Amino acid sequence: MSKYTLECCVDSVESAIAAEEGGADRLELCTALIIGGTSPGLALFEQVKANCNLPVRVLLRPRFGDFLYSKHEFCIIRREVEMFRKAGADGVVIGCLKEDGSLHMEQMEELVETAGDMKVTLHRAFDVCADPFQVYEQAGKLGIDTILTSGQKKDCLTGMPLLKKLCEMQKQQDGPQIMAGAGVTPEVIRKFLTETDITAYHLSAKKVIDSGMRYRKEGVPMGLPAMSEYSIFRTDKEVVAKAREALG
């Protein structure tokens, strides 16, 4: 059994199947991956579980944007933690900050308690916190299993210096596992393996496929005008397989 963990972020049943076929160890399930991911619906989760055998951690994020949540948004996240725990999720992926960029410990404590036996990942709210070393220690005290991070940079390759320091903290404290994310490719994984001790990697392995629609009404965007309504993002199982091969 490999000592490495390869997690694939997916927002469809088709992508989940492709990730499993490519050799992923675990799924992070969301919707709207193109905007960083938001909370999936229960029906999507049920279909993924029905068609895949991989452990599923569910991203819980009620909206696009920052991680300072109103009382109503927090209530939604807490209810989603409860809902997906009862539905059989293996873990949740969460993160709440205060106005000053510190971890919102009161909210996080409540969410972790609600999660019960589920594993908990602190998502990339970590990458916009004010003090990553303090937050790493706080995450350990909360019993958080994993921290998904790019090293507080636009991609994990740029953030490698901080990722190395966090990995050292992980070894010294036996704390949460550092999982490198953002810009992860098979080539990036190979570089990390030669320069760091990081053993967990998170990628989406996205490819764009053309819609099967033959009739197309152009000039009627349903969202961002720059995005085609006839382009579909899916996980490329070949890229996942190459990442798996890189990890051995």
Side-chain angles (χ1 to χ4, degrees):
M1 184 176 182
S2 175
K3 69 176 182 178
Y4 298 104
T5 299
L6 182 63
E7 179 180 271
C8 196
C9 186
V10 301
D11 60 1
S12 68
V13 180
E14 292 82 358
S15 287
I17 293 170
E20 183 173 31
E21 290 177 346
D25 298 300
R26 186 170 75 210
L27 301 176
E28 182 196 87
L29 181 64
C30 66
T31 55
L33 183 53
I34 195 168
I35 57 169
T38 55
S39 302
L42 184 59
L44 174 58
F45 171 79
E46 290 172 341
Q47 279 296 300
V48 167
K49 291 294 285 185
N51 288 277
C52 293
N53 295 312
L54 296 179
V56 179
R57 296 195 186 189
V58 183
L59 173 68
L60 302 180
R61 186 178 178 219
R63 57 165 170 79
F64 168 80
D66 64 34
F67 306 100
L68 176 64
Y69 294 119
S70 71
K71 65 178 182 179
H72 302 297
E73 290 170 335
F74 176 72
C75 285
I76 291 169
I77 298 171
R78 184 179 59 202
R79 176 69 181 106
E80 288 177 328
V81 172
E82 180 182 35
M83 180 175 69
F84 283 106
R85 187 194 73 225
K86 291 179 179 178
D90 299 279
V92 288
V93 184
I94 55 177
C96 306
L97 299 179
K98 290 186 175 180
E99 296 93 332
D100 62 0
S102 62
L103 194 65
H104 200 310
M105 287 295 286
E106 295 82 6
Q107 289 184 347
M108 291 298 294
E109 286 172 354
E110 192 168 344
L111 294 179
V112 170
E113 182 179 356
T114 304
D117 293 335
M118 287 192 295
K119 299 290 187 181
V120 177
T121 298
L122 172 58
H123 59 42
R124 293 188 64 209
F126 181 87
D127 282 327
V128 291
C129 75
D131 186 339
F133 302 112
Q134 180 186 47
V135 170
Y136 182 87
E137 293 183 349
Q138 290 174 319
K141 292 175 182 176
L142 288 167
I144 285 172
D145 173 74
T146 302
I147 296 177
L148 170 61
T149 173
S150 64
Q152 296 206 320
K153 299 294 183 182
K154 63 183 179 67
D155 58 65
C156 63
L157 203 55
T158 310
M160 187 186 285
L162 177 57
L163 287 166
K164 287 181 178 180
K165 294 177 182 177
L166 292 167
C167 190
E168 284 302 312
M169 289 184 70
Q170 176 187 327
K171 290 190 292 184
Q172 291 168 6
Q173 301 179 16
D174 193 25
Q177 183 177 45
I178 293 297
M179 181 164 59
V184 172
T185 65
E187 294 74 26
V188 167
I189 288 173
R190 291 188 188 96
K191 186 173 179 64
F192 265 77
L193 292 179
T194 61
E195 299 186 27
T196 78
D197 293 324
I198 290 174
T199 59
Y201 296 88
H202 170 101
L203 82 168
S204 60
K206 292 188 296 291
K207 66 177 178 180
V208 181
I209 63 174
D210 194 42
S211 166
M213 286 292 298
R214 295 191 303 275
Y215 175 78
R216 301 189 178 194
K217 178 70 74 174
E218 302 293 350
V220 188
M222 301 295 160
L224 296 173
M227 294 170 53
S228 170
E229 303 297 336
Y230 303 104
S231 294
I232 300 171
F233 290 82
R234 290 281 189 264
T235 295
D236 187 336
K237 72 176 182 180
E238 301 301 330
V239 174
V240 178
K242 290 177 181 177
R244 176 81 272 161
E245 182 182 3
L247 290 171

